[in-house]
Amino acid sequence: MINREWHLLSRPVGWPKPEDFALVESPVPAPGEGQVLVRNKYLSVDPYMRGRMSAAKSYVAPFELGKVMQGGAVGEVIESKAEGIEAGDHVLHFFGWREYAVVDAKNAVKVGPTAVPAVTVDADIEGVPLSAYLGVLGMTGLTAYAGLLRTASFKEGDSVFVSGAAGAVGSQVGQIAKLKGASRVIGSAGSDEKVKLLVDEYGFDAAFNYKKGPVAEQLRQAAPDGVDVYFDNVGGDHLEAAIGSLNQGGRIAICGMISVYNNTEPAPGPKNLARLIQTRGRIEGFLVGDHYDLQPQFVQEVGPWVASGALKYRETVVEGIENTLEAFLGVLRGDNIGKMVVKL
């Protein structure tokens, strides 16, 4: 049995190039005691992975050159040497970018019919594909939930602006805000198709295409009374625009800054930070890993929304391990609507 896996060969400068990577064949590994062998069915590709391709010190160790990369994945256990997990179970783990993975049982979360309700949604919910555990019911969903409710201290009646709003995280932020009583939800996206999706399907009150004019002007038109919460996935001109429209006591949660990930020079900061003094505004960055204590609450509240269709989600599915790199580059370009996953 042959395993195919993606290796990082060199650290990208600016936009990643195909020659920075290689799809390598290797023998399928065998599990040891306390481990399981998983045949991955879906892989996650996410913007934060670009940071791990750099050698710069960050909140997570960089990918090692010449070795297989990592990322979220969900798959079927085909061999188990661990108590509590059997062949045929489906598990969520962090050894993506490959077809087969050996995973310590302590790092594998069971999903589906044999799952523990405390860590995933009720197994009786039908029509929820395995890929959802990489997005709406997984780390992506928890990121939206924790960032909006804890970091940004959302409260009923708030006006909320979300950048990258058609993405996996942003689309959930806006919908959760609406379900929890936001007075107005505004989203920005990079195409007219995505803008239409935000309003017609996800229930945003307003949305705009940031490529069609200055963000600050479009935001003022969409939110004439200002915003109380800004959930930032983009940075750059979006962050500056949000500061300019922030109401008194407004909160900004920094989840990501995809607009600067491929810059080769430091990006200039917002020119209007002094406005935070006037508004008594607050900016706070966060990482989902600091908020795993919210997982049971997240599952209890969001699971039924997904099951009932009250919270909608989209996935962009790319097929084949050989297309994983192109799927990742597509995320950086903004090609995806909702969560980008690779189906093996």
Side-chain angles (χ1 to χ4, degrees):
M1 293 174 65
I2 296 298
N3 187 25
R4 290 183 293 172
E5 54 188 34
W6 281 94
H7 288 204
L8 182 67
L9 300 185
S10 57
R11 304 209 178 275
V13 177
W15 276 86
K17 302 180 294 296
E19 51 266 35
D20 294 323
F21 308 84
L23 183 59
V24 176
E25 291 187 350
S26 65
V28 172
E33 286 303 313
Q35 295 182 321
V36 295
L37 175 62
V38 181
R39 179 192 290 119
N40 287 331
K41 290 193 171 184
Y42 291 93
L43 309 179
S44 178
V45 286
D46 303 281
Y48 80 87
M49 293 173 173
R50 176 62 184 87
R52 295 197 67 186
M53 294 172 187
S54 167
K57 186 176 180 180
S58 185
Y59 61 87
V60 63
F63 293 133
E64 295 184 58
L65 293 179
K67 294 188 178 181
V68 61
M69 295 182 289
Q70 298 173 333
V74 65
E76 181 181 357
V77 175
I78 60 173
E79 184 179 352
S80 175
K81 293 188 176 180
E83 236 182 276
I85 301 180
E86 300 177 356
D89 286 346
H90 290 100
V91 296
L92 176 67
H93 60 89
F94 205 67
F95 293 90
W97 289 85
R98 69 199 84 186
E99 291 177 307
Y100 293 86
V102 166
V103 184
D104 290 341
K106 64 182 180 181
N107 297 324
V109 176
K110 289 168 67 172
V111 296
T114 58
V116 179
V119 295
T120 186
V121 298
D122 189 328
D124 293 332
I125 294 174
E126 297 181 358
V128 178
L130 280 176
S131 55
Y133 295 99
L134 297 175
V136 65
L137 297 178
M139 185 176 70
T140 300
L142 182 59
T143 299
Y145 189 86
L148 177 68
L149 302 183
R150 177 175 281 174
T151 305
S153 303
F154 170 86
K155 60 183 184 297
E156 187 177 352
D158 278 344
S159 173
V160 178
F161 172 43
V162 188
S163 60
V169 173
S171 59
Q172 278 194 252
V173 171
Q175 291 184 81
I176 292 171
K178 289 291 291 184
L179 287 164
K180 284 195 162 284
S183 62
R184 189 167 177 79
V185 174
I186 305 101
S188 72
S191 73
D192 291 343
E193 177 191 8
K194 291 180 179 180
V195 166
K196 181 175 171 57
L197 174 71
L198 292 176
V199 175
D200 293 350
E201 186 168 330
Y202 293 154
F204 282 57
D205 296 289
F208 60 86
N209 183 342
Y210 68 85
K211 296 178 181 178
K212 287 194 163 182
V215 174
E217 291 181 12
Q218 294 195 77
L219 178 58
R220 280 194 294 270
Q221 291 173 6
D225 296 324
V227 297
D228 302 299
V229 168
Y230 170 49
F231 193 103
D232 190 15
N233 290 305
V234 174
D237 56 355
H238 281 74
L239 177 56
E240 187 167 295
I243 293 172
S245 286
L246 202 65
N247 290 331
Q248 185 165 322
R251 292 87 64 202
I252 296 175
I254 305 292
C255 177
M257 292 194 172
I258 197 170
S259 68
V260 303
Y261 286 168
N262 293 306
N263 288 3
T264 56
E265 298 292 334
K271 298 187 291 291
N272 58 348
L273 283 174
R275 193 167 187 279
L276 295 175
I277 302 170
Q278 304 163 20
T279 61
R280 290 75 151 177
R282 169 169 63 85
I283 300 180
E284 183 178 346
F286 75 98
L287 296 172
V288 66
D290 296 332
H291 301 281
Y292 284 142
D293 63 296
L294 288 177
Q295 179 75 10
Q297 176 183 323
F298 160 70
V299 166
Q300 185 178 16
E301 188 162 23
V302 176
W305 287 341
V306 175
S308 69
L311 194 153
K312 300 174 176 60
Y313 71 98
R314 290 280 194 99
E315 294 177 337
T316 299
V317 181
V318 172
E319 297 207 9
I321 183 73
E322 66 276 8
N323 294 315
T324 306
L325 176 59
E326 180 55 30
F328 168 70
L329 295 176
V331 170
L332 297 183
R333 291 191 299 262
D335 294 349
N336 57 302
I337 293 178
K339 184 76 182 75
M340 177 78 86
V341 295
V342 178
K343 181 180 181 181
L344 304 189

